[in-house]
Amino acid sequence: YTREQFPALHSRLQARLEKVPGVRASAFSRVPLLSRVRANNTITVQGSSPPPDAAAGVNTNGVSSNFFAAMELPIIFGRSFTDHDDTAAPRVAVVNQTLVKKYFGQENPIGRRLVYTLGPFGSFAADIVGVAGDAKYTDLRAPAPPTMYLPASQLPGGTASFALRVA
């Protein structure tokens, strides 16, 4: 598969998985929840000074448009991703509550622009469109890390881990 073919492949797999008896929802992400795997990126917030520990980076995850609903991860304010958040649309991000506290304090992050780097693919800017509840990725006992979610359809490459919510 080429990079351009992965979004359609992921959509077909997701649709097939949702037809399995007992499956209420299917979603995919680049980094599965509680996998002990992390993808860290340093970010900058345009118009703000970085917090003292910004070099530690933030967890980054590319997710399907229905990820938050399927994982029952609440959108606290703003919006989730839609199928229209693809390569033809402006880049967007959803951030978790911990990232908001660390980078914005009491400020509203909706509409603010983040800049992040994806290895050899270069740097990108994304506008924050939503704030999600915190989720754990590596350890149930550790506090939730600052996390930035990006639409998988706006990212290069084709890694996907599927998760199913079953009856």
Side-chain angles (χ1 to χ4, degrees):
Y1 288 92
T2 65
R3 186 179 311 154
E4 293 76 25
Q5 293 171 313
F6 277 113
L9 171 65
H10 294 155
S11 294
R12 287 193 311 272
L13 289 170
Q14 184 175 350
R16 285 180 143 178
L17 288 168
E18 287 177 347
K19 291 180 182 175
V20 172
V23 172
R24 292 186 6 223
S26 167
F28 62 88
S29 61
R30 296 281 177 100
V31 179
L33 295 170
L34 293 175
S35 64
R36 299 197 59 78
V37 175
R38 297 187 326 188
N40 276 349
N41 283 321
T42 55
I43 65 168
T44 57
V45 176
Q46 289 184 346
S48 295
S49 299
D53 60 347
V58 301
N59 282 6
T60 305
N61 201 355
V63 300
S64 59
S65 61
N66 72 328
F67 177 81
F68 300 104
M71 296 295 101
E72 296 182 1
L73 187 57
I75 297 295
I76 307 301
F77 56 96
R79 70 171 178 91
S80 181
F81 300 134
T82 71
D83 290 335
H84 299 290
D85 293 319
D86 58 16
T87 56
R91 289 185 178 267
V92 293
V94 170
V95 297
N96 75 346
Q97 293 170 293
T98 299
L99 187 143
V100 171
K101 289 175 194 166
K102 179 175 179 175
Y103 284 84
F104 299 98
Q106 298 298 315
E107 292 180 41
N108 180 354
I110 302 298
R112 298 289 300 272
R113 181 161 284 188
L114 299 172
V115 178
Y116 59 95
T117 301
L118 291 177
F121 299 105
S123 293
F124 302 92
D127 294 326
I128 298 172
V129 295
V131 175
D134 288 337
K136 308 259 179 145
Y137 278 87
T138 58
D139 186 344
L140 286 174
R141 290 181 176 84
T147 303
M148 171 178 64
Y149 298 94
L150 304 166
S153 57
Q154 291 186 340
L155 298 175
T159 303
S161 295
F162 286 82
L164 305 177
R165 181 157 301 281
V166 298

